[in-house]
Structures are given as C-alpha cells and as structure tokens.
Amino acid sequence: MDFAKMPELRIGNLKARLPIIQGGMGVGISLSGLAAAVANEGGIGVIAAVGMAMLKPNRQKSYRETNIIELRNEIQKARTLTDGIIGVNIMMALTDYEALLLASVEEGADIVFLGAGLPLKVPRLLTPERLRDGATRAAPIVSSARAANVILKSWEKYNCVPDAFVVEGPLAGGHLGFKKIQLDDPDYTLERIVTGVIETVKPYEQRFGKRIPVIAAGGIYTGEDILKYLQLGVSGVQMATRFVTTHECDADIKFKQAFVNAQKGDTVIIESPVGLPGRAIKNTFLEDVSAGAKKPFKCPWKCLHTCNFKTTPYCIALALANAQKGELDNGFVFAGANAYRAKKIVSVKEVFDALKEEYAAAIGDSSSERTVQYEELSVA
Ligand SMILES: Cc1cc2nc3c(=O)[nH]c(=O)nc-3n(C[C@H](O)[C@H](O)[C@H](O)COP(=O)(O)O)c2cc1C
C-alpha cells in the first residue's frame, strides 16, 4: 500500500477513488459543471438541489415544477460529463424536499445528502426495499453526535441505518447547525463532534453488520487537513469553500472573485430566514440588513417551511440567486471560514493535484515525527 496516497472512500456499493466529497452549494453554486469536474478527479461531485428555478427568469412553468425539471436536467447533464459518482444535496427545510428527493432517486443519483433538518423518518423513497432496487444511497448531514443518535434510533425502527453521515462543524459555509454562541465554543469543534459521531455509529455498525462511514466537513482546506481528519478515524471529508474558486464552479466570476478578494475576518455570521445562523462574506447588502433595512420582494412561492415571508427583511432565495449571477449589490455570498485563503481561480484538477501533494507532504512529516518518537522511546 502506498501510504502517501489518500485512501479510497466506500459508501455502500459506491467506491470513490479519493475520500473527498464536494459539498453541495446552493443556490446554483454547485451544479453539473462543478459536480462532474470533481467526480472526474475521483471525488464525489454534488449538485445542490435548492432554488434552481430562481436562476431561470424566463421559465414557463411554476417555481416548484421548474425546480424539478432543472434538477433532472442537471443530473442528466452531469452524467454526460462524467462516469464518476454524482450526489444531490437536498435541504429538508424546503417545502419541495420530497419532490426533489423523488426526482433525485428517479434520475439515479448515486447518493443524496440530507441537510438543514433531521430526517427522522426514513424518507419514504429510500426504504431498504427501494434502496436494494435503486442505486441511491442516503447520508444525513448532522452537527452533533446527539443528532446522529436520534436519526439512528429512529431509522432502526424501520430496520435500516443511513449509508453514511456527514458531520458539519462550526467553520463551514452556508447554514450552520449550531446556536451562534456555540460557534466559538471549544466543546463544539469539528474534531470533538466527529469523534463523538464515530463512537455513536459503532454499535449500529455491529448490529447491522454494515459500515457507516463518517465524513468530516467544515474548515477542511488542505491535504494536511484531510490527513488530520483521516487520522481521527473519519472515512472521508467534505469540502466546499476550496471548490468555489475554480473555473468549473457554476457561479458567476464575481461570486468567485469575492472569495479571492476576502481578507481574514471578512466572514460574518448572519441570522438566516431558514432559521439557522449562516456564514457569509460581509458586504453592503448584509450591512444594510443588519442595520435594519428591508429589501422589498414579492415571495415567488413559499420555498422554506421556516420562512415568514411577511416579516423577513429579505428573500434569501432571491439574494443567493442574485449573488450566483454576480449581482452582489442585491445579494450575498455564503462562504466557509477559510474563504480568505484563496489567492486565485484555478481548475478543479489543480485543486486535486494540490490536495494530493499537500497530503503526501503531510504524511512525510507525520511519519518522520513517528520515527523520531520511536527513536526517542527506544533510547529510553
Ligand atoms: C457557497 C456555499 C453554499 C452552500 N450551500 C449549501 C447547501 O445548499 N446545502 C448544504 O447542505 N450545505 C451547503 N453549504 C455547506 C457545504 O456543503 C459544506 O458542507 C461546508 O461549506 C464545508 O465547509 P468548507 O466550506 O469549509 O469546506 C454551502 C457552503 C458554501 C460555501
């Protein structure tokens, strides 16, 4: 075995050459372009299902219908661009969550990542019977061992367990599954949470005779970070921020440029209409909103269970869609805490090459550290 190479990632019958999942990024930041490019490099590429209709000004059909049509199109498009593994990220807070899930399963997405809410009931469309026939795996996104345990307990009643867990820590971009005060609390670091989730899944793995890979997400930026989390016992990592500044990322160049221009300290925590805090790059739009300004809008359709469109100061779907199109004055950019580290826009292949190199270098360092410790011990 070549230890300088990253191990593969297995989730059920899926086998990714590299243990790297590209985190789903809505609205329209990770579509078929980015997802296919990541899958072609041996990772798992993920299309974000949220709000696709917002990007289609000339749509002929309702928002709900357009979302489904566009999601189907994007999955099919990705399939023409890659033979690799393609997943779909679906937020449970969406009012069309079930319809998006059904479309993903019907289109044969390899895996669905279920975030922004806890899938306590096994989604009707992902029962063990259905999963045996179809090919779609299911991985909930959680931010605590407690949440993982609640899901495992409730799925156990249906005699099944999730195929994997993504554990998202406080440094992630987009919506965060934490209270604002927990974000800087040392009890809530990704390292701690991920270790707790690994312990939580163990008895279920034994009972079900099935591996439940745990994936770490949030603030993982380099090959060295990947090594660190693999050494903590995860099977893979999910990364989003590092993939924004690629040519293949599906956002407008101005969106990507906002990352390149960001300095350390330029990310802020916002209270989103989704009902969760979120991390974004500060800009005039967000400053206006936090100073109490209202950004008038007509609710196109009630996309979120949690949004009170009569009182919310702005429409988050519209703001994110505007940002995706490069209209940053009328929106804002979600970003992870590491957004400031991007120096230029590169290809997805260049990101993967760099990650592999960084990983190999870190392995070299950590094995020489091990040698030193061993020599010291043998001297003693
Ligand atoms: C621009 C952006 C949009 C995101 N949108 C979503 C989303 O729609 N659904 C979701 O579950 N996570 C979303 N995330 C979170 C990522 O999928 C990922 O888990 C997280 O950002 C990983 O941390 P990192 O950005 O530090 O690598 C988003 C992140 C970013 C940066």
Side-chain angles (χ1 to χ4, degrees), residues 59-363:
R59 80 212 137 67
Q60 305 292 316
K61 300 192 188 266
S62 72
Y63 275 87
R64 191 176 287 267
E65 256 179 290
T66 310
N67 277 341
I68 304 300
I69 293 168
E70 287 305 310
L71 176 58
R72 288 184 187 277
N73 284 346
E74 287 299 319
I75 298 172
Q76 289 166 14
K77 213 158 127 193
R79 291 287 182 219
T80 66
L81 299 170
T82 184
D83 294 329
I85 302 175
I86 293 293
V88 177
N89 174 296
I90 311 175
M91 291 171 55
M92 296 195 59
L94 296 172
T95 50
D96 59 350
Y97 159 72
E98 281 245 344
L100 294 166
L101 185 57
L102 176 61
S104 305
V105 172
E106 283 181 354
E107 290 299 331
D110 294 307
I111 180 164
V112 285
F113 296 95
L114 308 174
L118 300 186
L120 291 185
K121 291 192 198 137
V122 176
R124 211 161 24 91
L125 306 160
L126 294 172
T127 55
E129 296 73 37
R130 178 120 199 181
L131 285 176
R132 264 194 294 276
D133 299 341
T136 307
R137 308 282 112 198
I141 304 172
V142 295
S143 290
S144 68
R146 204 179 68 84
N149 199 33
V150 171
I151 294 171
L152 284 160
K153 263 195 180 152
S154 64
W155 286 40
E156 191 175 25
K157 292 187 205 132
Y158 302 84
N159 199 24
C160 64
V161 282
D163 294 296
F165 277 101
V166 173
V167 183
E168 211 183 59
L171 299 178
H175 291 112
L176 304 166
F178 298 91
K179 295 194 182 107
K180 211 171 165 182
I181 51 158
Q182 294 171 332
L183 292 174
D184 298 317
D185 185 330
D187 284 342
Y188 293 89
T189 59
L190 178 59
E191 291 89 328
R192 279 201 174 197
I193 300 168
V194 111
T195 312
V197 175
I198 291 170
E199 285 310 309
T200 303
V201 302
K202 271 185 190 156
Y204 289 88
E205 288 184 308
Q206 298 214 320
R207 282 213 285 286
F208 283 81
K210 173 180 159 175
R211 287 267 300 117
I212 308 173
V214 173
I215 317 291
I220 298 169
Y221 200 79
T222 64
E224 191 177 355
D225 297 338
I226 296 175
L227 176 64
K228 171 179 145 185
Y229 282 95
L230 291 177
Q231 287 177 336
L232 279 178
V234 305
S235 303
V237 298
Q238 174 168 295
M239 300 169 65
T241 293
R242 187 141 182 197
F243 289 115
V244 170
T245 46
T246 59
H247 302 302
E248 293 92 337
C249 167
D250 296 277
D252 186 90
I253 182 79
K254 290 193 192 127
F255 188 103
K256 304 173 190 180
Q257 208 56 49
F259 277 56
V260 175
N261 296 342
Q263 305 293 313
K264 200 169 183 178
D266 279 354
T267 52
V268 286
I269 301 300
I270 63 160
E271 288 300 333
S272 142
V274 170
L276 295 167
R279 180 173 281 105
I281 297 179
K282 67 180 173 197
N283 72 352
T284 324
F285 181 94
L286 289 175
E287 277 164 20
D288 287 356
V289 170
S290 79
K294 297 226 177 233
K295 306 280 180 182
F297 66 93
K298 209 166 150 256
C299 178
W301 70 294
K302 194 164 174 353
C303 65
L304 287 166
H305 286 299
T306 45
C307 179
N308 184 345
F309 66 91
K310 290 187 182 141
T311 55
T312 183
Y314 64 93
C315 167
I316 187 159
L318 186 62
L320 293 176
N322 286 339
Q324 192 270 1
K325 291 185 268 182
E327 296 166 29
L328 296 186
D329 290 344
N330 298 318
F332 65 91
V333 163
F334 268 147
N338 280 321
Y340 73 95
R341 293 171 75 172
K343 300 288 172 258
K344 59 178 182 173
I345 296 164
V346 297
S347 67
V348 165
K349 181 175 186 317
E350 284 173 290
V351 171
F352 271 90
D353 288 348
L355 290 173
K356 286 183 216 165
E357 236 173 76
E358 292 156 4
Y359 180 88
I363 282 265

Side-chain angles (χ1 to χ4, degrees), residues 2-22:
D2 184 351
F3 287 101
K5 283 199 183 146
M6 291 184 218
E8 63 184 25
L9 168 61
R10 279 172 187 263
I11 302 178
N13 57 343
L14 299 174
K15 195 161 80 177
R17 214 163 64 239
L18 294 170
I20 299 172
I21 299 171
Q22 160 254 310

